[in-house]
Amino acid sequence: PATEELIQEVQEDSPESLTEKFLQLKNGQKTWHSVLLSQRLAAISVFGELVRENLEELAQLLSHEMGKPIVQARREIGNAQGR
């Protein structure tokens, strides 16, 4: 953030862990593809509702993580929920 205050340290991914994560995502996409469209749309709708319900907390996290003004973070989270 703008103050350069350390909030949290995170471990960097290794090339091996990135490869594993990529393979998990590829496998997850195959599973997601086999789910009926109506079920996928319902899951996305639930996700959007959760974003709406937690907008302020998500905006605070984004603001702390990226150093964005809170108004901009709220707008960004709000825009993401409608896509």
Side-chain angles (χ1 to χ4, degrees), residues 7-74:
I7 297 171
Q8 184 176 359
E9 289 189 35
V10 294
Q11 182 178 344
E12 287 189 35
D13 279 306
S14 66
E16 295 80 16
S17 69
L18 288 174
T19 299
E20 177 61 29
K21 288 176 183 181
F22 177 77
L23 292 174
Q24 289 175 356
L25 288 169
K26 269 184 89 168
N27 290 334
Q29 192 281 328
K30 291 176 188 174
T31 302
W32 180 249
H33 179 75
S34 68
V35 174
L36 294 174
L37 178 59
S38 60
Q39 292 173 313
R40 286 186 273 164
L41 291 171
I44 291 169
S45 178
V46 168
F47 175 78
E49 184 59 35
L50 289 169
V51 170
R52 277 187 287 285
E53 290 173 8
N54 296 282
L55 188 138
E56 187 60 29
E57 182 180 356
L58 292 168
Q60 291 289 338
L61 287 170
L62 183 59
S63 181
H64 282 95
E65 180 181 283
M66 302 302 292
K68 292 180 182 235
I70 189 65
V71 173
Q72 185 180 0
R74 286 181 187 127

